[in-house]
Amino acid sequence: PTRTLSGGCMDTEHSGKVRPMRSALPFFVGAIFGMRDSFVIFVLILNQTHDFYFMPKVSVIVPIYNVEQYLARCLDSILSQSFADIEVVCVDDGSPDDSISIAEDYARRDSRIRIIRQENKGLGGARNTGIDNATGQYVAFIDSDDYISEDYFGNLCEAAAKYDADIVTATLVKRCKTHIKYLVKNDTERVVDDKNERFRVCACPPDFHVTNKIFRTEMLRRNGMRFPEHTYFEDVVFMAKALIAANRL
């Protein structure tokens, strides 16, 4: 899987690949109603109201702050995933530009998007709000000036299910005008149980990227994992704790 970052000369990309996974809910609902028409009406109502019964595989948390130049590309890459079982939690962190209008326009067109507005708490605080509101089995953090390849969540979710992993990591690419640099390169599928090896595989240190991974939501909540707020390098403590707490990478 590949993720791409952007901003100035930065432009990073994630990638991944898998067949879409169907939820057991349609069969369960169909058994209750016993009629295909009733089932279709029921699902349409749920999708329009963002009901509580829709439990996506991945909650994609997108903090928003001064990114009107990049946000559309970010959301396009998320919504065009071959793996559609996702929700997108956009957290407007008190952005003073027109980013929120862009997010609202996308939300009107795709019911998988939810928008949460808050006073500025920094990137860490926006991610924490996303975790608090996530309903998916896994959480992903995609910065709003980044974008991902169309098979990103498909590949990561396939690996998560195959190995029952708490964390799955992907390749992270930085694109500049004249060259491409691999910040993290994961081109081989393998399971990492050794905790010291996990840090090496994820290039921690020097970097503690959370934006090229998915994390099991239950693991984050069980261990009370939060990002520091109103500070820089908020990924470091969070990523270190996650790599130690995970059952496997």
Side-chain angles (χ1 to χ4, degrees):
T2 309
R3 165 192 161 245
T4 306
L5 303 157
S6 72
C9 88
M10 268 200 327
D11 193 325
T12 336
E13 180 183 76
H14 334 282
S15 80
K17 218 166 202 167
V18 102
R19 296 177 299 277
M21 298 171 63
R22 294 184 179 275
S23 167
L25 178 61
F27 302 101
F28 177 66
V29 175
I32 292 176
F33 285 86
M35 293 177 59
R36 181 177 297 178
D37 291 342
S38 298
F39 162 66
V40 172
I41 293 171
F42 185 70
V43 171
L44 286 175
I45 292 172
L46 295 187
N47 285 341
Q48 289 299 318
T49 58
H50 301 283
D51 75 297
F52 325 113
Y53 301 101
F54 174 61
M55 297 181 65
K57 186 73 172 182
V58 182
S59 294
V60 187
I61 297 170
V62 182
I64 296 175
Y65 188 83
N66 274 356
V67 287
E68 59 181 322
Q69 181 180 353
Y70 307 105
L71 184 57
R73 182 180 63 176
C74 174
L75 294 177
D76 284 339
S77 74
I78 295 171
L79 298 174
S80 62
Q81 290 288 295
S82 58
F83 183 84
D85 192 7
I86 63 173
E87 68 168 351
V88 185
V89 183
C90 293
V91 182
D92 174 27
D93 194 40
S95 182
D97 70 353
D98 201 39
S99 295
I100 186 62
S101 298
I102 297 172
E104 288 173 341
D105 179 56
Y106 274 80
R108 282 190 291 269
R109 291 183 276 140
D110 196 314
S111 62
R112 292 176 296 173
I113 296 180
R114 286 191 289 139
I115 299 175
I116 300 170
R117 306 189 72 167
Q118 65 179 29
E119 294 183 2
N120 182 261
K121 296 182 179 180
L123 182 57
R127 288 174 177 167
N128 289 338
T129 297
I131 294 172
D132 291 340
N133 288 274
T135 63
Q137 182 180 353
Y138 284 86
V139 165
F141 304 100
I142 303 296
D143 289 346
S144 43
D145 57 350
D146 297 351
Y147 63 95
I148 56 179
S149 59
E150 66 178 10
D151 53 2
Y152 180 68
F153 289 123
N155 281 347
L156 295 187
C157 288
E158 184 176 52
K162 182 177 180 179
Y163 299 107
D164 188 32
D166 281 344
I167 304 175
V168 185
T169 186
T171 291
L172 179 60
V173 179
K174 177 178 179 180
R175 297 183 185 274
C176 293
K177 291 182 179 179
T178 59
H179 66 282
I180 295 174
K181 178 182 179 180
Y182 284 91
L183 301 180
V184 180
K185 189 172 184 178
N186 293 309
D187 52 8
T188 328
E189 183 177 296
R190 59 176 172 146
V191 175
V192 184
D193 289 320
D194 181 78
K195 289 181 170 55
N196 291 325
E197 180 67 4
R198 293 176 188 177
F199 280 81
R200 192 193 68 78
V201 168
C202 294
C204 304
D207 301 309
F208 291 79
H209 300 291
V210 299
T211 51
N212 64 326
K213 299 171 179 68
I214 59 173
F215 302 82
R216 195 189 303 271
T217 309
E218 186 274 333
M219 179 201 70
L220 299 182
R221 291 174 175 164
R222 171 167 37 88
N223 290 280
M225 291 186 192
R226 312 288 288 177
F227 288 92
E229 299 184 4
H230 297 292
T231 185
Y232 295 106
F233 307 111
E234 64 285 321
D235 291 6
V236 176
V237 174
F238 183 94
M239 195 64 241
K241 288 182 177 179
L243 289 176
I244 292 172
N247 68 338
R248 63 176 55 90
L249 170 71

